[in-house]
């Protein structure tokens, strides 16, 4: 570990340095934050009704702490999901046949759909307690974070440079050791960038996640999201301003305390280290590296972790690459594909039976037509975001110092919920007599366009130094440089970001196609508005129909357009 020197217990206990004191203060601060933010979890639900959400600014620190804790717990769950689900999909061709399309579907299911289906289950885990509602809210936020992280990790595992693969084979690493020594470190820089994006993107849906509906009862959890919802309902611009300021402070805090240290720490895992370029710095990471107590604990944990490399079950080596070898393998693939197709057919039959038992075919055709309306918006918005953010992402990614400045700014912009702009959007559309079908559309891309930027920045920062040197030596400039060096290098990363941005835009349409400011309500014609109306009315058959149509659109687009691009990028632009 760069900058960390293993020390003994005697060295660590000679005296507490200022770095130890700072590290202890940081640790205690985090523990106090977790304790304060979670102390309401076991309270009865009645307590929430006795203390409703207030727009008084002095309540915002507590609300911000509770929202932030939910987001970080969801982030931990998303990491666990990423390391298991994405790894299994990348390592097993048979599993990928099921897991990758399933990830497309999960990404397209609106957060309101997850809440409506899972809320009863989570509330039953802690009947009559706030904890059950907290479980539902954390899971809802998890669904806004996990898919992006899983996609980026899957892409990284599929594009590990040949040099690293050959080194792993030369040293005869077991699959377990190869994962933690080679594959996970290679994927870490891009994963951290996408963790930042997921964390910021979850602010977009935090308003929906903090209002849990159970039957005719709505449980509103204290938080920044519920504060924003109440401020919009009461047309209180001052309260909206307080919420924006609070979000900015929270984002700056977790950027300094978590993400900037992670970016600086993960810099050592870059496949290409550029000579003469200063690595990212973080004062928190410097404190932790210079602390003797932290060094001692890190050394002990590292020793315990290295022992797992010797466990008999984890030392088993996998066979040659490629699962399907010979006639037996081909028959196994066919049987597995047939099983997956059969399961998909049964699921489609069950969904269709439920829908058409309550809804006429003409309304299903209408939902399909609304899906095409939303599709047209998604296509136009993704194209515009690509033209704007790909060049900017390349420029930022190739300049580490600029990236450090842009990072917190981009996090804040990515965290800006569309709901906060409803006062401006609704007022402007009403005053200028604009068409909501056109001018509500930008709200769909507001939170998801940053997936493109963050992934392109990660890709540009990973451009091999050889490619840069060749371009400089051959004096490749202008459009030729973009065509031959920059765009091919960032293309796999762009596709990963664009897939997530496209799916996220469909999800965001539920919020963006229906905008309210006080008593004024504007609605665009689209599938998102259809699902939002059905959810508001508690009409489960129409909710299922809307989700099914949205999932169908997303899966077809991913299969017909994005996945071919992804496979092309994987084959043509893989390093090494």
């Amino acid at each position: 570990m760069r900058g960390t020197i293993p020390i003994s217990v005697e060295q660590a206990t000679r005296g507490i340095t200022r770095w130890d004191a700072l590290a202890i203060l940081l640790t205690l601060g985090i523990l106090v934050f977790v304790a304060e933010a979670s102390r309401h979890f076991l309270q009865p639900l009645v307590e929430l009704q006795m203390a409703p959400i207030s727009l008084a600014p002095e309540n915002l620190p507590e609300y911000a702490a509770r929202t932030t804790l939910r987001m970080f717990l969801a982030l931990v769950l998303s990491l666990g999901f990423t390391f298991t689900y994405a790894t299994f999909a990348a390592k097993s061709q048979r599993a990928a046949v099921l897991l990758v399309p399933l990830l497309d579907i999960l990404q397209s299911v609106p957060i309101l759909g997850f809440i409506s289906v899972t809320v009863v289950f989570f509330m039953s885990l802690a009947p009559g307690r706030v904890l059950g509602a907290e479980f539902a809210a954390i899971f809802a936020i998890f669904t806004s974070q996990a898919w992006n992280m899983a996609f980026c990790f899957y892409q990284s595992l599929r594009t590990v440079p040949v040099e690293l693969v050959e080194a792993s084979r030369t040293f005869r690493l077991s699959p377990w050791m190869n994962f933690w020594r080679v594959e996970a470190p290679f994927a870490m820089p891009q994963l951290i960038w996408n963790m930042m994006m997921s964390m910021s993107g979850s602010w977009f849906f935090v308003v929906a996640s903090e209002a849990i509906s159970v039957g005719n009862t709505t449980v509103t959890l204290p938080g920044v999201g519920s504060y924003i919802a109440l401020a919009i309902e009461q047309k209180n611009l001052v309260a909206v301003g307080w919420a924006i300021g609070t979000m900015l402070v929270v984002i700056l805090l977790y950027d300094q305390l978590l993400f900037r240290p992670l970016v600086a720490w993960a810099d050592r895992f870059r496949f290409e280290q550029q000579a003469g370029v200063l690595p990212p710095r973080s004062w928190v990471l410097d404190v932790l590296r210079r602390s003797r107590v932290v060094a001692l604990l890190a050394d002990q944990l590292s020793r315990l972790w290295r022992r797992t490399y010797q466990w008999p079950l984890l030392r088993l080596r996998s066979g040659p690459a490629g699962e399907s070898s010979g006639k037996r393998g081909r028959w196994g693939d066919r049987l597995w594909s047939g099983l997956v197709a059969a399961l998909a057919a049964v699921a489609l039959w069950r969904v269709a039976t439920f829908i058409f038992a309550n809804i006429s075919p003409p309304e299903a055709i209408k939902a399909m037509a609304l899906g095409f309306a939303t599709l047209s918006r998604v296509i136009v918005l993704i194209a515009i975001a690509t033209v704007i953010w790909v060049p900017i992402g390349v420029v930022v990614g190739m300049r580490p110092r600029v990236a450090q400045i842009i990072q917190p700014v981009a996090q804040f912009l990515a965290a800006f919920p569309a709901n906060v702009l409803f006062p401006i959007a609704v007022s402007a559309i009403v005053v200028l007599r604009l068409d909501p079908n056109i001018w509500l559309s930008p709200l769909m891309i507001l939170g998801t366009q940053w997936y493109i930027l963050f992934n392109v920045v990660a890709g540009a920062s990973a451009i091999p130094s050889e490619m840069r040197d060749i371009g400089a030596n051959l004096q490749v400039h202008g459009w030729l440089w973009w065509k031959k060096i920059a765009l091919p290098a960032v293309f796999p990363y762009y596709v990963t970001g664009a897939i997530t941005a496209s799916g996220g835009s469909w999800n965001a349409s539920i919020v963006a196609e229906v905008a309210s400011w006080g008593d004024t309500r504007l609605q665009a014609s689209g599938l998102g508005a259809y699902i939002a109306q059905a959810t508001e009315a508690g009409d489960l058959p129409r909710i299922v129909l809307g989700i099914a149509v949205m999932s169908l659109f997303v899966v077809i687009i991913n299969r017909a357009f994005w996945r071919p691009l992804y496979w092309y990028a994987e084959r043509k632009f893989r390093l090494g």
Side-chain angles (χ1 to χ4, degrees):
M1 181 182 294
R2 188 173 66 192
T4 302
I5 302 174
I7 59 175
S8 64
V9 176
E10 293 182 1
Q11 290 175 315
T13 55
R14 286 176 183 172
I16 296 180
T17 66
R18 57 177 178 171
W19 307 111
D20 295 327
L22 286 173
I24 292 171
L25 285 175
L26 284 172
T27 304
L28 289 176
I30 293 172
L31 292 175
V32 169
F33 159 74
V34 173
E36 283 296 312
S38 60
R39 62 188 175 89
H40 303 285
F41 279 10
L42 296 179
Q43 286 185 342
L45 280 173
V46 181
E47 295 285 339
L48 296 180
Q49 299 174 358
M50 295 174 60
I53 301 297
S54 170
L55 294 184
E58 57 267 21
N59 293 320
L60 274 171
E62 179 187 350
Y63 293 168
R66 297 184 69 167
T67 295
T68 305
L69 180 61
R70 294 180 193 116
M71 294 169 70
F72 275 114
L73 290 175
L75 189 66
V76 172
L77 292 176
S78 299
L79 276 174
F81 175 83
T82 296
F83 282 127
T84 52
Y85 191 99
T87 303
F88 194 31
K91 294 291 185 180
S92 172
Q93 294 179 7
R94 292 179 184 174
V97 172
L98 175 63
L99 297 183
V100 175
L102 183 59
L103 198 58
D104 291 337
I105 296 172
L106 291 172
Q107 177 187 234
S108 66
V109 174
I111 189 172
L112 295 178
F114 282 113
I115 292 176
S116 61
V117 172
T118 61
V119 63
V120 175
F121 167 74
F122 285 113
M123 294 293 288
S124 66
L125 295 179
R129 298 287 176 179
V130 176
L131 185 61
E134 293 285 355
F135 283 151
I138 291 168
F139 179 76
I141 297 172
F142 161 83
T143 63
S144 67
Q145 296 177 349
W147 323 136
N148 167 56
M149 293 167 58
F151 266 125
C152 91
F153 197 68
Y154 171 80
Q155 182 261 339
S156 296
L157 294 183
R158 297 285 294 177
T159 56
V160 175
V162 174
E163 296 92 327
L164 294 181
V165 175
E166 292 176 347
S168 174
R169 291 174 179 170
T170 300
F171 288 103
R172 297 179 60 81
L173 300 182
S174 65
W176 178 254
M177 194 171 182
N178 177 61
F179 178 78
W180 291 110
R181 288 291 192 179
V182 178
E183 295 170 335
F186 171 75
M188 198 56 62
Q190 187 187 4
L191 177 61
I192 289 174
W193 275 97
N194 278 275
M195 284 171 59
M196 289 189 289
M197 180 63 243
S198 294
M199 186 72 172
S200 296
S202 58
W203 283 97
F204 193 88
F205 298 103
V206 78
V207 176
S209 66
E210 290 180 350
I212 309 297
S213 296
V214 185
N216 297 323
T217 304
T218 298
V219 179
T220 302
L221 296 171
V224 177
S226 52
Y227 183 95
I228 291 174
L230 183 61
I232 292 173
E233 182 182 342
Q234 297 185 3
K235 301 182 70 170
N236 192 328
L237 282 174
V238 175
V240 172
W242 280 112
I244 293 173
T246 302
M247 286 173 53
L248 176 60
V249 172
V250 170
I251 291 168
L252 289 175
L253 282 175
Y254 67 62
D255 174 71
Q256 289 293 318
L257 297 177
L258 177 67
F259 289 124
R260 196 171 290 267
L262 283 176
V263 169
W265 170 76
D267 184 70
R268 64 191 182 134
F269 298 127
R270 289 189 182 280
F271 183 63
E272 288 287 339
Q273 296 289 343
Q274 302 173 39
V277 177
L278 294 176
R281 297 294 301 273
S282 165
W283 66 270
V284 173
L285 187 62
D286 290 340
V287 168
L288 296 178
R289 282 174 170 168
R290 294 172 182 176
S291 169
R292 294 180 178 178
V293 175
V294 173
L296 175 64
L297 293 175
D299 183 54
Q300 296 300 319
L301 291 174
S302 179
R303 290 181 182 179
L304 290 174
W305 183 253
R306 286 196 296 269
R307 290 180 183 176
T308 64
Y309 299 151
Q310 306 302 320
W311 290 357
L313 291 178
L314 298 179
R315 293 182 64 185
L316 297 176
R317 293 183 175 85
S318 57
E323 296 183 11
S324 302
S325 56
K327 183 180 294 186
R328 183 177 180 181
R330 287 194 296 271
W331 274 107
D333 286 342
R334 291 172 184 172
L335 288 173
W336 174 248
S337 299
L339 177 61
V340 171
L343 290 174
V346 171
L348 287 174
W349 173 255
R350 296 283 296 178
V351 170
T353 302
F354 176 78
I355 291 173
F356 290 111
N358 301 277
I359 296 175
S360 63
E363 184 165 355
I365 295 174
K366 176 186 175 182
M368 292 292 293
L370 294 174
F372 280 106
T374 301
L375 172 63
S376 63
R377 296 189 182 100
V378 172
I379 292 173
V380 172
L381 293 170
I382 293 295
I384 293 174
T386 298
V387 172
I388 294 174
W389 294 118
V390 168
I392 294 176
V394 171
V395 172
V396 171
M398 296 188 68
R399 292 165 175 80
R401 290 186 178 179
V402 177
Q404 291 184 52
I405 298 173
I406 294 295
Q407 174 186 325
V409 178
Q411 285 185 69
F412 176 68
L413 294 175
F416 218 74
N419 316 66
V420 173
L421 292 182
F422 281 178
I424 300 174
V426 173
S427 300
I429 291 173
V430 171
V431 172
L432 300 176
R433 298 181 180 179
L434 302 175
D435 186 357
N437 288 300
I438 297 175
W439 295 102
L440 284 179
S441 300
L443 297 176
M444 289 172 55
I445 200 71
L446 182 68
T448 59
Q449 60 185 328
W450 310 106
Y451 289 113
I452 295 176
L453 174 63
F454 274 54
N455 278 277
V456 172
V457 167
S461 63
I463 294 178
S465 57
E466 293 91 340
M467 293 180 64
R468 304 188 189 200
D469 294 339
I470 290 173
N473 293 336
L474 297 179
Q475 297 184 353
V476 179
H477 302 294
W479 169 243
L480 186 62
W481 180 83
W482 285 91
K483 181 180 178 181
K484 295 297 184 181
I485 296 177
L487 295 181
V490 303
F491 187 67
Y493 298 86
Y494 161 75
V495 174
T496 301
I499 291 175
T500 310
S502 175
S505 296
W506 282 92
N507 209 327
S509 67
I510 299 172
V511 178
E513 289 181 350
V514 179
S516 300
W517 176 236
D519 297 330
T520 305
R521 180 185 176 94
L522 298 177
Q523 181 173 315
S525 178
L527 189 58
Y530 180 87
I531 296 175
Q533 284 182 316
T535 303
E536 186 177 346
D539 191 339
L540 186 57
R542 284 170 177 77
I543 294 174
V544 174
L545 173 62
I547 293 173
V549 171
M550 185 173 286
S551 300
L552 179 64
F553 269 94
V554 173
V555 170
I556 291 176
I557 293 168
N558 284 354
R559 292 285 106 185
F561 181 72
W562 290 118
R563 286 302 162 193
L565 276 184
Y566 186 89
W567 292 325
Y568 175 76
E570 183 181 313
R571 293 192 308 269
K572 189 171 180 63
F573 301 118
R574 179 172 177 172
L575 292 175

